[in-house]
Amino acid sequence: MQYLDLDKIALKEIPKISDPDGRGNLSVVEKDYLPFVIKRVYYLYDVPSSSTRGGHAHKQLQQFLIALSGSFDVVLDNGKKRRTITLNRPDRGLLIPSGVWRELENFSSGAVCLSLVSEEYSEEDYIREYSEFKLFKSA
Ligand code: TYD
């Protein structure tokens, strides 16, 4: 099993079109921007600051997270190490490959987490027990 190199994780810049007349910004994710075909889009919102989302890994699914509004922290765990990355800009996103444990926490008031994902929803693809994740990574 491969371990994601957490030191190589960088937020990916999303193309931004700033309006020349000061009417604000527009960011766009086009077909070839991500290393997967988007099969599903969902978003988290109204998350209390004391709550944690995620707490699982995926066997196949890859996803791209964007803080459309506000901020939150993503804790990534590759099975050996953990790294926390703050998402707080709508023109930067975090690509999470398959086989990575993630926890989302410290949601600011009004935070919205957009998730672009490579698979349709399937509970079979989730690893929801950390002990099972460790076994999965050491297999
Ligand atoms: P889950 O993926 O555990 O949320 P998070 O990682 O943000 O904490 O999903 C929460 C619940 O919503 C769970 O019962 C599964 C359901 N769900 C769907 O039915 N469809 C979906 O596309 C997603 C993402 C979740």
Coordinates of all heavy atoms in Angstrom, one line a residue, residues 8-14 33 64-65 83 85-89 91-95:
K8 N 4.2 16.8 0.4 CA 4.1 17.2 -1.0 C 2.7 17.8 -1.3 O 2.4 18.2 -2.4 CB 4.3 16.1 -2.0 CG 5.8 15.7 -2.0 CD 6.1 15.0 -3.4 CE 7.6 14.7 -3.4 NZ 7.8 13.3 -3.8
I9 N 1.8 17.7 -0.3 CA 0.5 18.3 -0.4 C 0.5 19.8 -0.6 O 1.1 20.5 0.3 CB -0.4 17.9 0.8 CG1 -0.6 16.4 0.9 CG2 -1.8 18.6 0.7 CD1 -1.8 15.8 0.2
A10 N -0.1 20.3 -1.6 CA -0.1 21.8 -1.7 C -1.5 22.1 -2.2 O -2.2 21.3 -2.9 CB 0.9 22.2 -2.8
L11 N -2.0 23.2 -1.7 CA -3.3 23.7 -2.2 C -3.2 24.0 -3.7 O -2.2 24.6 -4.2 CB -3.8 24.9 -1.4 CG -4.1 24.6 0.0 CD1 -4.5 25.9 0.8 CD2 -5.3 23.6 0.1
K12 N -4.2 23.6 -4.4 CA -4.2 23.8 -5.9 C -4.9 25.1 -6.2 O -6.1 25.3 -5.8 CB -4.9 22.6 -6.5 CG -4.6 22.3 -8.0 CD -5.2 20.9 -8.3 CE -5.6 20.8 -9.8 NZ -4.6 21.0 -10.8
E13 N -4.3 25.9 -7.0 CA -4.9 27.2 -7.4 C -6.0 27.0 -8.4 O -5.8 26.2 -9.4 CB -3.8 28.1 -8.0 CG -4.2 29.5 -8.1 CD -3.0 30.4 -8.2 OE1 -1.8 30.0 -7.8 OE2 -3.1 31.5 -8.8
I14 N -7.1 27.6 -8.2 CA -8.2 27.5 -9.1 C -8.3 28.8 -10.0 O -8.2 29.9 -9.4 CB -9.6 27.4 -8.3 CG1 -9.5 26.1 -7.4 CG2 -10.8 27.3 -9.3 CD1 -10.6 26.1 -6.4
Y33 N -9.3 20.0 -15.3 CA -8.6 20.6 -14.2 C -8.2 19.6 -13.2 O -7.1 19.6 -12.6 CB -9.4 21.7 -13.6 CG -8.8 22.4 -12.4 CD1 -7.7 23.3 -12.5 CD2 -9.3 22.0 -11.1 CE1 -7.2 23.8 -11.3 CE2 -8.7 22.6 -10.0 CZ -7.7 23.5 -10.1 OH -7.1 24.0 -9.0
F64 N -11.9 16.8 -4.2 CA -11.3 18.1 -4.3 C -12.2 19.0 -3.4 O -13.4 19.1 -3.7 CB -11.3 18.6 -5.7 CG -10.5 19.8 -5.9 CD1 -9.1 19.9 -5.6 CD2 -11.1 21.0 -6.3 CE1 -8.4 21.1 -5.8 CE2 -10.4 22.2 -6.5 CZ -9.1 22.2 -6.2
L65 N -11.6 19.6 -2.4 CA -12.4 20.4 -1.4 C -12.1 21.9 -1.6 O -10.9 22.2 -1.8 CB -12.0 20.0 0.0 CG -12.2 18.6 0.5 CD1 -11.8 18.5 2.0 CD2 -13.6 18.1 0.2
R83 N -1.2 15.7 9.0 CA -0.8 17.1 8.7 C -2.2 17.8 8.6 O -3.1 17.3 8.0 CB -0.1 17.1 7.3 CG 0.3 18.5 7.0 CD 1.2 18.7 5.8 NE 1.1 20.0 5.3 CZ 1.3 20.4 4.1 NH1 1.7 19.5 3.2 NH2 1.2 21.7 3.8
I85 N -4.2 21.1 7.3 CA -4.2 22.1 6.2 C -5.4 23.0 6.4 O -6.5 22.5 6.5 CB -4.1 21.5 4.8 CG1 -2.8 20.7 4.7 CG2 -4.2 22.5 3.7 CD1 -2.8 19.7 3.6
T86 N -5.2 24.3 6.4 CA -6.4 25.2 6.5 C -6.8 25.6 5.1 O -6.0 26.0 4.3 CB -5.9 26.5 7.3 OG1 -5.5 26.1 8.6 CG2 -7.1 27.5 7.5
L87 N -8.1 25.5 4.9 CA -8.7 26.0 3.7 C -9.5 27.3 4.0 O -10.4 27.2 4.9 CB -9.7 24.9 3.1 CG -9.0 24.0 2.1 CD1 -8.0 23.1 2.8 CD2 -10.1 23.2 1.4
N88 N -9.2 28.3 3.4 CA -9.8 29.6 3.7 C -10.0 30.5 2.5 O -10.2 31.7 2.7 CB -9.1 30.3 4.8 CG -7.6 30.6 4.5 OD1 -7.2 30.4 3.4 ND2 -6.9 31.0 5.5
R89 N -9.8 30.0 1.3 CA -9.9 30.8 0.1 C -10.7 30.1 -1.0 O -10.4 28.9 -1.2 CB -8.5 31.1 -0.5 CG -7.7 32.0 0.4 CD -6.3 32.2 -0.2 NE -6.4 32.8 -1.5 CZ -5.4 33.3 -2.1 NH1 -4.2 33.5 -1.5 NH2 -5.5 33.8 -3.4
D91 N -10.4 30.4 -4.0 CA -9.6 30.2 -5.3 C -8.4 29.2 -5.0 O -7.4 29.3 -5.7 CB -9.1 31.5 -5.8 CG -8.2 32.3 -4.9 OD1 -8.1 31.9 -3.7 OD2 -7.6 33.3 -5.3
R92 N -8.5 28.4 -4.0 CA -7.6 27.3 -3.7 C -8.3 26.1 -3.3 O -9.3 26.2 -2.5 CB -6.6 27.7 -2.5 CG -5.8 28.9 -2.7 CD -4.4 28.6 -3.4 NE -3.5 29.7 -3.4 CZ -3.6 30.7 -4.2 NH1 -4.5 30.7 -5.1 NH2 -2.7 31.7 -4.2
G93 N -7.9 24.9 -3.7 CA -8.6 23.7 -3.3 C -7.6 22.6 -2.9 O -6.4 22.7 -3.1
L94 N -8.1 21.7 -2.2 CA -7.3 20.6 -1.7 C -7.7 19.3 -2.3 O -8.9 18.8 -2.2 CB -7.4 20.5 -0.1 CG -6.7 19.3 0.5 CD1 -5.2 19.5 0.4 CD2 -7.1 19.2 2.0
L95 N -6.8 18.6 -3.0 CA -7.0 17.4 -3.6 C -6.7 16.2 -2.6 O -5.6 16.2 -2.1 CB -6.1 17.3 -4.9 CG -6.3 16.1 -5.8 CD1 -7.7 16.1 -6.4 CD2 -5.3 16.2 -6.9

